[in-house]
Amino acid sequence: NNNTYTVTSIKKKSGSNGINIFPDTARKNQIKELVIPDTVQTIGMAAFMGCSNLEKVTFGSGIETIDRNAFYNCSKIKEINLGNNVKTIESQAFYSVRPEEFVMPDSITSFDSSAFGYSNNSIKKITIGKGYTNNTNTGISALCNKLNALEEIIVSDENTAFSSENGVLFNKNKTQLIKYPNKKADESYSIPDTITSIGTSAFNYSILKNVKLNDALVSIADSAFLYSNIEGNLIIPDNVTNIGSSAFS
């Protein structure tokens, strides 16, 4: 029909790094549904940028890369179901897209931390597949810190870098607490006995009221509790040797 488009070919725009997928600029805001076939491997930069009425995208199984700004400001998309071969998602690829849940396929090895923009208020649950292992300053911690409505983090048992327990993100052997979801509903939390370090921004903006630190804790990273809602006493264990900058500011 007039509001559903099946992509059959991709042409590069003259003088641009982007690609021209929708039929013409005048009609792009009429597009409500897209079907991308298995033959397509890359969705280029700003390919569907500004398709403000786009509600549903069916991704083909051949897609490996979704370039930056690909679905920028497609704010009516409420669900993202990627194919099983996607390896790379670039910056702001889904800027202002507002699903409540996002499942990262096992195939993904590169996922820019700003893929959903710099402040996303819709995603409540994220599932991390086995292939994503980036825990640098631009990795999973940075991604989760941009998800302001996050309530739960799930990690594939086959992931070699990360693990999760009760919706909280840890490294694989649970010696580092990486991220406590901002909007996880519990009022109190006890740090597991195995944890020796609390990661950067691990509890920032958390709605928790009380946190009990464990005796094995050695390091509290920068901004670990920045802008959190912790009330009352927070007892620092004797084994702690490092407290990072703005850890409790």
Side-chain angles (χ1 to χ4, degrees), residues 65-79:
T65 300
I66 301 176
D67 209 341
R68 63 188 184 276
N69 300 334
F71 293 92
Y72 190 100
N73 275 349
C74 297
S75 58
K76 288 191 176 180
I77 297 177
K78 304 299 182 186
E79 185 175 344

Side-chain angles (χ1 to χ4, degrees), residues 97-102 116 120-126 147-151:
V97 175
R98 291 181 167 84
E100 288 195 359
E101 180 177 354
F102 177 70
F116 291 104
N120 181 286
N121 295 314
S122 65
I123 297 176
K124 297 179 180 180
K125 179 180 179 180
I126 185 169
L147 305 180
N148 300 327
L150 195 61
E151 298 174 0

Side-chain angles (χ1 to χ4, degrees), residues 68-236:
R68 63 188 184 276
N69 300 334
F71 293 92
Y72 190 100
N73 275 349
C74 297
S75 58
K76 288 191 176 180
I77 297 177
K78 304 299 182 186
E79 185 175 344
I80 302 173
N81 294 312
L82 300 175
N84 294 323
N85 291 312
V86 178
K87 296 179 175 62
T88 301
I89 296 181
E90 298 288 0
S91 64
Q92 302 190 71
F94 295 107
Y95 182 93
S96 83
V97 175
R98 291 181 167 84
E100 288 195 359
E101 180 177 354
F102 177 70
V103 177
M104 188 182 294
D106 289 337
S107 55
I108 287 184
T109 56
S110 177
F111 193 100
D112 192 277
S113 64
S114 64
F116 291 104
Y118 297 99
S119 181
N120 181 286
N121 295 314
S122 65
I123 297 176
K124 297 179 180 180
K125 179 180 179 180
I126 185 169
T127 299
I128 303 166
K130 69 179 181 180
Y132 186 78
T133 59
N134 183 1
N135 194 24
T136 67
N137 290 336
T138 59
I140 193 62
S141 176
L143 170 62
C144 290
N145 281 324
K146 294 179 176 70
L147 305 180
N148 300 327
L150 195 61
E151 298 174 0
E152 184 178 14
I153 304 168
I154 303 296
V155 180
S156 167
D157 290 339
E158 297 180 73
N159 192 296
T160 60
F162 306 121
S163 62
S164 62
E165 183 177 312
N166 297 323
V168 181
L169 180 65
F170 303 92
N171 65 348
K172 185 64 177 180
N173 58 2
K174 289 188 173 67
T175 58
Q176 182 185 44
L177 192 155
I178 298 172
K179 184 61 182 177
Y180 188 96
N182 292 2
K183 294 297 187 292
K184 186 171 167 59
D186 299 336
E187 289 193 0
S188 300
Y189 183 70
S190 295
I191 305 293
D193 292 339
T194 58
I195 299 300
T196 58
S197 67
I198 296 175
T200 301
S201 303
F203 287 92
N204 71 337
Y205 293 102
S206 167
I207 61 174
L208 272 172
K209 300 297 184 184
N210 298 286
V211 174
K212 181 180 179 182
L213 303 180
N214 63 317
D215 290 338
L217 190 63
V218 174
S219 177
I220 301 173
D222 296 350
S223 307
F225 292 90
L226 183 66
Y227 304 129
S228 66
N229 290 304
I230 304 297
E231 299 176 349
N233 296 325
L234 184 67
I235 300 173
I236 308 295

